[in-house]
Structures are given as C-alpha cells and as structure tokens.
Amino acid sequence: MTTDSLSGDLQEDAYSIAHTRKTADISYPSTGNDLCFQLEDKSFWFRHRNNCILEAVRKYPPNGEILDIGGGNGYVTRRLIDEGYPSVLLEPGLSGAYNGKVGRNLPHVICGTLEDLSLSDSSISAAGCFDVIEHVEDDVKFVSEIARVFIPGGLLYTTFPAYQWLWSACDDYSGHFRRYNIKTIDDLLGEHFNIIYYTYFFGCLTAPLLLLKSAPYHLGIIRKRPNFFSNETEHGTSGGLTASLIELMLKNETKMIREGRRKTLGTSCLVVASRKSIG
C-alpha cells in the first residue's frame, strides 16, 4: 500500500503530504511532535527503541510495506526504510507529518488517523503501532479496526508503556489512558491476533522511573510536573557518562530480541502479533 494506490481518497498539499478528508481529535500534546523532533536523533531512549523494533522486524519480517500508524515525526519509519523495509508514515498531527516529509525526507506520508483513512478490508499485510495504543480511549475498537484492514497472517509490531504501577505525571501530560502488561495486551489483541513474540525492555530504567516519577506521583509529591529533570537530561542528548552507561546496560536487550529471548521486567513492552484467520 502506498499513497499512490489511495490517490482517490486523499488530497496532497504543497509538500506532497497526503491528507484524509476527515480529521479527528487525538489525545496527544499539541507541541508533542515538535518537542520529540528536537530530541529523537540524539536520545538514547528513541535510539534504543528503534534498535529493538528493528531486531523484531528482522526476526519476523513483513510480507510487504509497513504502515506506521501514529508514527509521529517518522523516526521509526525512516529507520525501517533505511534498513530495507518499505514503509508509509500515517500520522494525524500536521507537525509530525510535516517533520516526517520535509525533515526526514520520507517518500510516503499521510496526515490522518487509521479510521479517517477508510482502508478496505484485508488491504494491508503489516503495520507498526509504536507507543500509540495507550493514547486511544477505546483501544478495543481501535484494535478491531486494525484487524479489519489486515490480511490473515499479517504482522503487527507494537510497543506499549509497561505496568500501571509505573504511572506518573508524564502519562498524564502525554495523554495516556493506560499502561499495559503482557496479560492486558493479550486480552486486547487476543480476539484478532496471535502473539508470536513479546518482551519487556528498558529494564534498567524501571527502578529510576519508579523512584523518581511514579512513587512521588502516587504520594502526591509530584503531580503536575511531567519530568523530574529536563527533557535533554532525561534523554541524554548531550551525551556524557550517565547516558553512555545507560546505553551500555541496554545494549544486551537488542541481542536478546535477536535471539528470541524475553525480559520479564522493563518500562516498555514490545509485541509482534499475527492476524488470525478470518471466519
């Protein structure tokens, strides 16, 4: 699936970004994409998540293009394309779509939601949904829509923020409705998909997140401030010893995914699921 195959349903702007005819409200900060765009290329968090996603895609390769649903600025989309996996960015935020098309030079960018796109039944074979589903209030309906447009056997690659007990002001600020664990993910996906691989990741960040964000939030100490430190400090965009040590501790997780092993604790969860047979 490319924007060319959907030309009758989309309208292109001066930047060659294809727009759906409908728009929908999304639970995400209006400045979120632009803030992430400033961080992504130098952030150990975004870099490591990309590495983990790529290892999962390599181990369970798609049969066709990947539709990156809610893909923000196209940071994941760009990496997938660069590694030889044709991908299309589908992003409802105009700034994210612009950053993906102009800033990251993505060949195919659609500004809209999956529902707005109105794809035909069984029309795509692979999709990514990376830290997106937690922003959707009716996640069951959203997953049903993803399943509707999937061919049987199609692969869904997803990441989720892990564990409700890690909830903090950052989740409030980001527009999250929930965090997940593998049981709640299986409950969510199980009607339409078979989970063929899962793992938690960012294991070394679990204790710091609990102690510096979640516990103070639940104790009422920090309620309105999403970050204990600045975004630049938390993402290690200036480098330094701490960021280097964190990256070193995280490095084994990509090898673990490559080998099909699982981690049982982490601040995020990575899932690969296959669309069940229809009927």
Side-chain angles (χ1 to χ4, degrees), residues 87-230:
S87 301
V88 175
L89 173 63
L90 175 63
E91 166 54 37
L94 183 58
S95 62
Y98 176 85
N99 291 337
K101 186 64 179 181
V102 179
R104 302 207 186 280
N105 197 30
L106 297 176
H108 301 294
V109 175
I110 304 170
C111 186
T113 66
L114 181 64
E115 295 86 350
D116 297 339
L117 194 54
S118 301
L119 291 170
S120 302
D121 293 355
S122 304
S123 57
I124 64 174
S125 59
C129 217
F130 305 115
D131 291 281
V132 170
I133 296 178
E134 66 273 13
H135 293 276
V136 180
E137 186 169 12
D138 192 341
D139 55 350
V140 173
K141 181 180 178 182
F142 183 64
V143 168
S144 294
E145 175 63 8
I146 295 175
R148 181 187 68 78
V149 302
F150 255 63
I151 63 170
L155 293 180
L156 176 65
Y157 310 93
T158 57
T159 58
F160 302 83
Y163 300 118
Q164 195 65 26
W165 47 267
L166 285 177
W167 189 275
S168 72
C170 186
D171 294 285
D172 289 339
Y173 170 78
S174 299
H176 294 174
F177 288 100
R178 65 199 73 78
R179 298 177 72 94
Y180 291 83
N181 58 47
I182 190 55
K183 182 184 183 305
T184 57
I185 294 170
D186 189 44
D187 290 342
L188 175 64
L189 299 181
E191 181 179 352
H192 305 288
F193 292 89
N194 291 313
I195 292 177
I196 58 177
Y197 176 76
Y198 79 87
T199 186
Y200 293 94
F201 63 116
F202 287 114
C204 68
L205 299 185
T206 307
L209 178 57
L210 177 63
L211 294 174
L212 296 177
K213 288 191 174 186
S214 303
Y217 176 85
H218 290 292
L219 291 172
I221 299 171
I222 300 176
R223 281 285 180 174
K224 295 183 178 180
R225 184 180 175 186
N227 296 324
F228 192 84
F229 302 105
S230 69

Side-chain angles (χ1 to χ4, degrees), residues 253-271:
E253 292 184 344
T254 55
K255 180 181 178 183
M256 172 194 71
I257 296 169
R258 188 181 315 129
E259 296 174 349
R261 295 183 288 118
R262 297 184 176 93
K263 184 181 284 289
T264 57
L265 186 69
T267 63
S268 294
C269 191
L270 169 65
V271 172

